[in-house]
Structure formats: C-alpha cells, structure tokens
C-alpha cells in the first residue's frame, strides 16, 4: 500500500489538473502495486526551500511496504519518478527531492486493524 505525498511551492493554478490521478497510475506502474492500493496527496502553494532556494520546487515522499527498502530499488524508482515529476511540474531535477521510507505492515491501519492482519 504505497503512499505518495507531493509538496510544492508552485501555486495550485500551476499544478496540472488531475496530477494526483496520473501520479497514482505512474506510482502503481513504477512500484509494481495495484493502482487501487496507491494513495496520493498533492499539496501546492507551500512555503518551501530546496537547496537553500525558494525558487519553484517540489519534495516527494514515497512510503510503502516492501518496495522501497534498498538503494538498488530506489535508484530505479527515483529515475522513473523524476521523469514523471519533471514532465508534470516543468521543474528541473535540481528542484526536486524524493525521499523513500520503507514501512512495516503494522505501521498502516486499515479496516479497524493493521495490514499485518489483513
């Protein structure tokens, strides 16, 4: 069950309509998870700095069970996510940061329990 949280200082009117759906589909393909299990949040218009600059930027947090736990996995995920984000947001790679966090099943609650028991 992947979670993607995209924060950007781009104003909402410069974030392409439907980005959350396209990012959901891209993440499903990249991470090898069913799209109906991918969760995406897009937060535009934030006060942000990347590399000491407040020029347009974005930070993506990707957390999931089992697919973001190694440098090798994340290198491949990173390349494909950067491709998606640079195209969608019209930002250079230097203005985007991606953070990967592996999750354990007990860290995600669903249906009144945790994923460990589902």
């Amino acid at each position: 069950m992947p979670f993607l949280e995209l924060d950007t200082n781009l104003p909402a009117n410069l974030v392409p309509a439907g980005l959350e759906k396209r990012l959901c589909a891209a993440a499903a393909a990249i991470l090898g998870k069913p799209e109906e299990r991918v969760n995406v949040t897009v937060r535009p218009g934030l006060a942000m700095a990347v590399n000491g600059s407040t020029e347009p930027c974005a930070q993506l947090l990707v957390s999931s069970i089992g697919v973001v736990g190694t440098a090798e996995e994340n290198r491949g995920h990173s390349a494909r996510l950067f491709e998606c984000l640079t195209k969608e947001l019209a930002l250079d790679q230097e203005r985007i940061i991606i953070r990967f966090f592996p999750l354990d099943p007990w860290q995600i609650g669903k249906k009144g329990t945790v994923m460990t028991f589902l």
Side-chain angles (χ1 to χ4, degrees):
M1 177 173 285
F3 298 87
L4 285 82
E5 299 176 42
L6 178 63
D7 294 337
T8 181
N9 61 357
L10 290 171
N13 66 319
L14 293 182
V15 174
L19 173 60
E20 66 282 356
K21 286 292 290 173
R22 290 188 302 280
L23 189 53
C24 185
I30 292 166
L31 301 174
K33 297 284 187 170
E35 192 170 341
E36 60 271 9
R37 300 197 69 190
V38 178
N39 303 279
V40 174
T41 303
V42 177
R43 290 184 286 262
L46 300 175
M48 293 178 60
V50 166
N51 301 326
S53 168
T54 59
E55 290 297 312
C57 61
Q59 293 184 42
L60 180 67
L61 170 61
V62 181
S63 53
S64 186
I65 298 169
V67 295
V68 296
T70 70
E72 291 77 19
E73 288 174 322
N74 292 342
R75 179 171 39 179
H77 301 331
S78 184
R80 294 176 70 191
L81 287 166
F82 268 100
E83 182 180 327
C84 175
L85 292 174
T86 55
K87 176 183 172 189
E88 289 282 356
L89 300 175
L91 295 174
D92 290 334
Q93 287 190 4
E94 299 81 32
R95 303 302 305 147
I96 300 170
I97 299 290
I98 301 176
R99 296 177 292 153
F100 296 97
F101 284 96
L103 296 173
D104 288 317
W106 60 265
Q107 293 175 299
I108 300 172
K110 185 173 181 174
K111 297 181 181 179
T113 186
V114 293
M115 294 301 293
T116 304
F117 302 108
L118 293 176

